[in-house]
Amino acid sequence: MCLNHFVNRFFKMLLFAIIMGYLCPNSLSEMTISFQWLLQYLPTSLPVGDLSNILTSIGLEVEAVETVETIKGGLNGLLIGEILTCDRHPNADKLSVTTVNIGADSPVQIVCGAPNVAAGQKVVVAPVGTTVHPTEGEPFLIKKAKIRGEESAGMICAEDEIGLGKSHDGIMILPSDAIVGTTARAYFDIPESDFAIHIGLTPNRSDANSHIGVARDVCAWLSHHHKTQHVVVSPAISEIKVQETAPISVSILNTDACPRYTGVYLTNVTISDSPKWLQEKLSTIGVRSINNVVDVTNYVLHEYGQPLHAFDADKIAGKKIIVDCLQEGTPFLGLDDKERKLRAGDLMICDDNGPIAMGGVFGGKDSGITTATTNVFLESAYFSPMHIRRSSLHHGLRTDAATHFEKGVDINNVIPALTRAAALITSIASGEIASSIVDVYPHVLMPNTVNVSYTYIYKLSGKDYGKEAIKNILIALGFVIVAESDDNLTLEVPTNKPDVTQPADIVEEILRIDGLDNIAIPEKLNISLIKALPSDREIRQRMAQLLCGAGLQEIVTNSITNSKYYPEHPTLVRMINSLSSELDVMRPSMLESGLEVIQYNCNRKSTDLALFEFGNVYDQLESKYNQESRLAIWTTGNTTKGNWQQKATKNDIYYLKGLVLNLMSYCGISNTGISYAETSSEITWKWKNQPLCTISKVSQERLSLFDIKQEVYHADIRWDLWVKACATSRIKYTEVPKFPAVNRDLAIVIDKQVTYQQVQDVTAQLKITELKSFGLFDIFESEKLGQDKKSYALNYTFQLHDRTLTDTETEELMKKLTETYKNKLSALIRE
């Protein structure tokens, strides 16, 4: 295989892994399917292990398989027996010694403490070796034992001892026609154990968000790999032949949010508990049974992937359904008795009196099904994924219906799902279909068409599947071949696959069904890396090492953040399809990312923090987006811990200033200008008149957003400019001086408004080559100095490389400094 083919295939495999969620586990949503339920739609039975492997192979990654039993233990090992004799225990007044026929060669002796035990009774027996699963408590093994001197080879069971109830008043007494030796599982008609298969479903796989959708993929896999056609066994659906028009009219005022709305009217419905089979099906996938009508809508949702909603038809005011968005702030009372204020973009189902349901998300209190309901209007609609997701996230209503709609449902599936649900309601709720189907579909959505060539399929996948195999896979998945030439296919995409829009998506479908493992890897690979490594890689590593050596910890945070941090920021880059309402903009500043980390740690009693991060910030100017690199530093709490020798040292802006100066020195950055804010809570360095770094004390208003109750200091370094400054700077190394340095101290009295930076600037302007360093070691203020005066105590170090300075030379240098301070700072020299 040529290199180009391999590279194409490699990146396709990487892309496929990302799409399938293997590299982005947080993008997966869990879907649970029932093994026994799924088998209803497959033309052949499969072991659960084989089925799990197939599902993972086709991109429906199985995360767990859980055994589900309606009765714990399934009554396995328990038998129906008949008590032949029952005598009082010779050594215990409250015990009885019985002989019980359990269908074995000979009766067994069992000591029983139940007050209602008697000869002639049919009972449930747990023989020796059986594991019993009580309603409450841990399972236990039945062993042969001696009870007060009498042998006991089993246990006659009460209902709570085997998980059939909670009563412990006595043993279970069965009807006289119970057959001895029958298994308790068969007698009580306990269904076969089921398996809940938990699938990590990626957002693009809305077509597989149901049992029938999964069955369709499995049948495609079986057809391709077993070389025989396998077709989904769909439920039998009879067409609704009622001609009467529904007494409830439907109008769609927002066709963008609701392209299609259908419904049917049912009468004489009896609301009651669902039949056992329906409750068990829903229970297996973790759905709670409510009543027969609501359970039918949930059943069809997980069968077809189409959400439904049942309204009490008698509560629909004006006999009208109006689909539209209402005014901002309109109140809506949900099924959970909570009132919510609507957004202007929330799609609502309304009657003449106002909203009765949040379309595709949540039902309303005033139109829900109750035990008094007799007439039902059953809704099946297609709602815009964008509208549903925004409403669901904003109101915190992550319902099954919403998670299905936001992934995209099949617009051509609304009628089959509606018909199926109506038939089930007539079957289990004694309802009657009293109208034809209402179908409001103003603008018919046409299926996508995609052109793809066999050459392209080979080029992207790296495998020659053969034309017939490709066509068979696509037909099994529901694609329609519109036109075909020697090297080209024109395909009509099934409407249950809204994500398939381009040739690469077609290749993905073929790859899934055939299997990535079936693409051979060549024995020899020749790869040339042509992209240069980032130019700042070395300096970044050096800076990170220096910061870590100074006791800081590197963090990595999300570039996507919460817009609530920037209520008045005009240039925010907003996400079109945000992951959540808390992650909806690209960060314009790194400050808040670090504050989130500090909040998390402070809440867990870790309050002494020094953090740094290399990252990007984003903004937009008109239609142009801008991305800039930053190095951000955060410090809070104490810089050093207290001990018996010293007290703890608190963080302040000067600690951060010293850290930044060390970084500049390390990188050889010089010729920078520095400015201080009036409040001394912000310091800025400029390089070539451009802001290079700003350090500041985070405002209390900002900290309160994160509930941080301690001071935080932040440094914002413009990384691209910093790298340029490093590139133009040179670090010079000199020999360590052989001659001693001379130290001198000086105290000056200056006006309070004179800053230390001004003292530094005046000193630097003198360009005294002998002056190696100087610094401030004390500040003194007193009424004796004057109300607006302060005293700086300064230390100077002078040194030459070729000789030792004389006292006379040193005094001349000090005189030069004092005269300058007097002239330029109006300083007084303290003796």
Side-chain angles (χ1 to χ4, degrees):
M1 182 184 295
C2 72
L3 178 60
N4 286 341
H5 284 167
F6 170 75
V7 172
N8 279 331
R9 187 184 70 194
F10 173 79
F11 283 107
K12 178 59 184 177
M13 291 170 70
L14 180 62
L15 175 63
F16 181 78
I18 295 172
I19 291 173
M20 291 295 100
Y22 301 143
L23 302 186
C24 302
N26 290 336
S27 68
L28 302 180
S29 61
E30 184 179 287
M31 177 181 72
T32 304
I33 61 173
S34 159
F35 172 67
Q36 296 294 344
W37 191 351
L38 180 62
L39 289 183
Q40 294 178 201
Y41 312 113
L42 297 180
T44 184
S45 181
L46 294 168
V48 67
D50 292 350
L51 180 62
S52 297
N53 292 335
I54 292 172
L55 293 176
T56 299
S57 172
I58 59 181
L60 303 176
E61 184 181 3
V62 175
E63 297 179 337
V65 177
E66 178 186 1
T67 302
V68 178
E69 297 174 316
T70 55
I71 302 295
K72 286 192 296 184
L75 304 186
N76 290 326
L78 303 181
L79 300 172
I80 306 302
E82 180 180 9
I83 299 176
L84 303 178
T85 64
C86 180
D87 300 314
R88 181 175 293 179
H89 193 293
N91 301 319
D93 293 338
K94 294 184 178 181
L95 298 179
S96 300
V97 179
T98 66
T99 55
V100 185
N101 177 15
I102 58 172
D105 294 337
S106 58
V108 294
Q109 179 172 295
I110 299 175
V111 176
C112 180
N116 61 336
V117 63
Q121 294 172 338
K122 297 290 181 68
V123 293
V124 178
V125 179
V128 172
T130 302
T131 299
V132 175
H133 296 260
T135 302
E136 297 179 359
E138 296 297 320
F140 58 92
L141 181 67
I142 300 298
K143 299 178 181 179
K144 197 169 186 179
K146 273 193 176 184
I147 302 176
R148 294 289 185 95
E150 295 292 328
E151 287 192 355
S152 181
M155 182 176 75
I156 304 174
C157 303
E159 65 177 41
D160 70 323
E161 293 171 329
I162 56 176
L164 287 177
K166 295 184 178 180
S167 174
H168 196 71
D169 294 337
I171 59 173
M172 290 183 68
I173 300 174
L174 306 180
S176 59
D177 59 355
I179 299 174
V180 172
T182 304
T183 64
R185 186 185 187 96
Y187 178 81
F188 289 103
D189 192 23
I190 303 301
E192 188 177 350
S193 295
D194 201 351
F195 297 94
I197 303 175
H198 301 278
I199 294 173
L201 190 68
T202 52
N204 66 317
R205 292 305 312 279
S206 61
D207 60 304
N209 206 6
S210 65
H211 283 75
I212 289 179
V214 172
R216 186 188 303 113
D217 268 15
V218 173
C219 286
W221 189 94
L222 292 172
S223 297
H224 176 66
H225 290 274
H226 292 183
K227 308 304 179 186
T228 57
Q229 188 177 22
H230 290 72
V231 180
V232 175
V233 181
S234 299
I237 302 175
S238 300
E239 183 181 352
I240 294 177
K241 298 180 179 180
V242 178
Q243 300 298 318
E244 285 80 2
T245 302
I248 296 173
S249 65
V250 175
S251 59
I252 305 175
L253 301 185
N254 189 334
T255 56
D256 290 334
C258 178
R260 188 176 191 182
Y261 190 100
T262 69
V264 69
Y265 184 69
L266 297 100
T267 59
N268 300 322
V269 176
T270 302
I271 306 300
S272 63
D273 291 338
S274 295
K276 185 178 179 182
W277 68 267
L278 180 53
Q279 293 188 37
E280 289 172 352
K281 284 275 196 301
L282 296 177
S283 176
T284 299
I285 59 173
V287 177
R288 179 175 61 90
S289 176
I290 297 174
N291 59 54
N292 49 3
V293 171
V294 175
D295 288 356
V296 164
T297 63
N298 286 327
Y299 178 82
V300 174
L301 165 63
H302 292 281
E303 182 179 46
Y304 279 84
Q306 171 63 41
L308 306 169
H309 188 72
F311 295 97
D312 187 325
D314 296 328
K315 296 178 181 177
I316 300 175
K319 301 301 179 185
K320 295 178 183 177
I321 290 287
I322 305 163
V323 186
D324 197 9
C325 296
L326 302 181
Q327 289 184 349
E328 183 91 20
T330 301
F332 167 65
L333 184 64
L335 285 169
D336 56 358
D337 289 320
K338 291 183 180 179
E339 183 177 281
R340 295 172 173 86
K341 300 297 182 183
L342 299 178
R343 300 180 311 119
D346 292 331
L347 183 67
M348 303 305 295
I349 312 300
C350 308
D351 61 10
D352 273 353
N353 291 339
I356 58 175
M358 189 179 295
V361 178
F362 204 56
K365 180 69 173 178
D366 297 332
S367 63
I369 301 298
T370 67
T371 54
T373 299
T374 56
N375 299 317
V376 171
F377 184 74
L378 192 61
E379 166 198 283
S380 180
Y382 179 92
F383 298 119
S384 161
M386 180 181 68
H387 280 81
I388 299 305
R389 180 170 178 79
R390 287 178 177 174
S391 295
S392 172
L393 291 173
H394 177 79
H395 295 287
L397 296 169
R398 304 300 290 154
T399 59
D400 277 347
T403 55
H404 278 72
F405 275 125
E406 69 184 24
K407 287 182 174 67
V409 299
D410 185 356
I411 199 167
N412 290 326
N413 210 25
V414 295
I415 295 292
L418 180 68
T419 307
R420 169 69 163 161
L424 286 171
I425 291 175
T426 61
S427 172
I428 67 173
S430 306
E432 299 174 9
I433 299 175
S435 77
S436 59
I437 291 177
V438 179
D439 186 4
V440 182
Y441 195 5
H443 309 291
V444 177
L445 298 181
M446 302 305 296
N448 292 328
T449 57
V450 177
N451 293 313
V452 63
S453 68
Y454 294 113
T455 302
Y456 178 81
I457 294 172
Y458 171 67
K459 181 179 179 180
L460 199 58
S461 68
K463 180 175 180 179
D464 185 4
Y465 295 96
K467 293 182 180 181
E468 290 303 313
I470 289 172
K471 289 190 290 185
N472 289 337
I473 289 174
L474 295 173
I475 291 171
L477 290 172
F479 290 85
V480 176
I481 300 175
V482 177
E484 181 182 6
S485 62
D486 288 342
D487 191 46
N488 194 71
L489 284 174
T490 301
L491 301 167
E492 182 181 289
V493 180
T495 50
N496 61 24
K497 293 182 178 291
D499 67 305
V500 177
T501 59
Q502 56 186 340
D505 299 328
I506 301 295
V507 181
E508 179 193 326
E509 294 295 293
I510 298 167
L511 279 165
R512 285 196 309 107
I513 301 304
D514 182 69
L516 286 173
D517 292 340
N518 294 325
I519 299 177
I521 300 294
E523 294 182 359
K524 184 178 180 181
L525 302 177
N526 297 316
I527 301 177
S528 298
L529 298 176
I530 60 173
K531 185 176 180 181
L533 293 172
S535 59
D536 67 337
R537 184 166 179 255
E538 183 181 351
I539 181 68
R540 186 184 290 240
Q541 288 180 340
R542 286 164 49 200
M543 291 279 280
Q545 290 173 353
L546 182 65
L547 289 167
C548 289
L552 280 76
Q553 294 179 307
E554 185 171 9
I555 61 174
V556 179
T557 60
N558 198 343
S559 295
I560 308 172
T561 187
N562 198 328
S563 60
K564 75 175 184 180
Y565 300 149
Y566 318 99
E568 298 179 359
H569 200 293
T571 61
L572 282 179
V573 178
R574 297 187 179 275
M575 304 292 292
I576 295 175
N577 293 311
S578 59
L579 298 174
S580 70
S581 59
E582 290 80 25
L583 297 171
D584 58 345
V585 296
M586 304 298 290
R587 63 185 176 197
S589 160
M590 292 185 65
L591 170 62
E592 291 73 22
S593 299
L595 292 180
E596 286 180 338
V597 176
I598 291 172
Q599 176 195 35
Y600 181 89
N601 282 274
C602 286
N603 288 343
R604 288 155 181 80
K605 308 302 181 184
S606 177
T607 56
D608 299 334
L609 302 168
L611 313 169
F612 74 94
E613 179 181 13
F614 293 95
N616 297 318
V617 296
Y618 310 83
D619 62 9
Q620 61 176 329
L621 208 54
E622 296 177 352
S623 60
K624 293 183 178 180
Y625 295 99
N626 182 44
Q627 172 183 308
E628 292 185 9
S629 298
R630 291 283 198 274
L631 168 59
I633 302 173
W634 300 264
T635 61
T636 186
N638 295 322
T639 58
T640 59
K641 293 183 178 181
N643 55 43
W644 65 275
Q645 287 182 315
Q646 62 181 18
K647 293 182 179 179
T649 306
K650 284 190 175 182
N651 252 303
D652 57 26
I653 198 167
Y654 300 107
Y655 170 78
L656 195 53
K657 177 186 176 184
L659 189 61
V660 171
L661 289 173
N662 283 340
L663 294 177
M664 288 183 179
S665 175
Y666 181 77
C667 295
I669 298 176
S670 58
N671 299 322
T672 58
I674 187 170
S675 62
Y676 294 81
E678 291 183 3
T679 59
S680 299
S681 62
E682 184 174 293
I683 304 173
T684 300
W685 285 268
K686 289 185 177 182
W687 184 77
K688 292 188 176 180
N689 293 322
Q690 298 180 70
L692 176 68
C693 173
T694 299
I695 63 175
S696 60
K697 178 181 177 181
V698 181
S699 69
Q700 190 57 47
E701 180 184 5
R702 211 76 185 137
L703 294 177
S704 64
L705 281 176
F706 299 86
D707 196 29
I708 298 174
K709 297 180 174 60
Q710 60 188 54
E711 293 181 349
V712 177
Y713 298 90
H714 172 243
D716 180 26
I717 297 174
R718 295 178 179 269
W719 182 246
D720 293 333
L721 188 61
W722 186 282
V723 173
K724 287 182 181 178
C726 290
T728 59
S729 302
R730 289 187 178 182
I731 300 175
K732 295 181 179 180
Y733 294 91
T734 58
E735 183 182 359
V736 176
K738 298 178 181 179
F739 299 94
V742 179
N743 293 311
R744 290 288 187 272
D745 292 340
L746 177 67
I748 61 175
V749 178
I750 53 179
D751 292 337
K752 283 188 176 180
Q753 63 265 30
V754 176
T755 64
Y756 177 64
Q757 183 63 41
Q758 289 175 277
V759 177
Q760 284 184 309
D761 293 341
V762 167
T763 306
Q765 289 169 8
L766 293 174
K767 296 182 179 180
I768 300 174
T769 57
E770 297 89 345
L771 180 60
K772 298 305 178 184
S773 66
F774 83 99
L776 175 69
F777 66 88
D778 187 38
I779 300 175
F780 175 71
E781 294 182 11
S782 171
E783 292 180 0
K784 294 180 180 179
L785 295 177
Q787 187 174 2
D788 297 322
K789 299 291 184 179
K790 62 183 175 182
S791 173
Y792 277 174
L794 304 167
N795 174 265
Y796 301 84
T797 300
F798 301 98
Q799 192 173 35
L800 291 174
H801 283 273
D802 56 350
R803 62 185 178 84
T804 303
L805 281 166
T806 66
D807 288 343
T808 303
E809 291 171 327
T810 304
E811 293 303 324
E812 285 296 323
L813 293 173
M814 289 299 296
K815 183 179 180 181
K816 187 176 183 180
L817 286 167
T818 56
E819 291 299 324
T820 302
Y821 293 155
K822 290 177 181 178
N823 295 331
K824 293 192 175 182
L825 300 177
S826 301
L828 299 175
I829 308 302
R830 293 181 66 194
E831 297 299 334

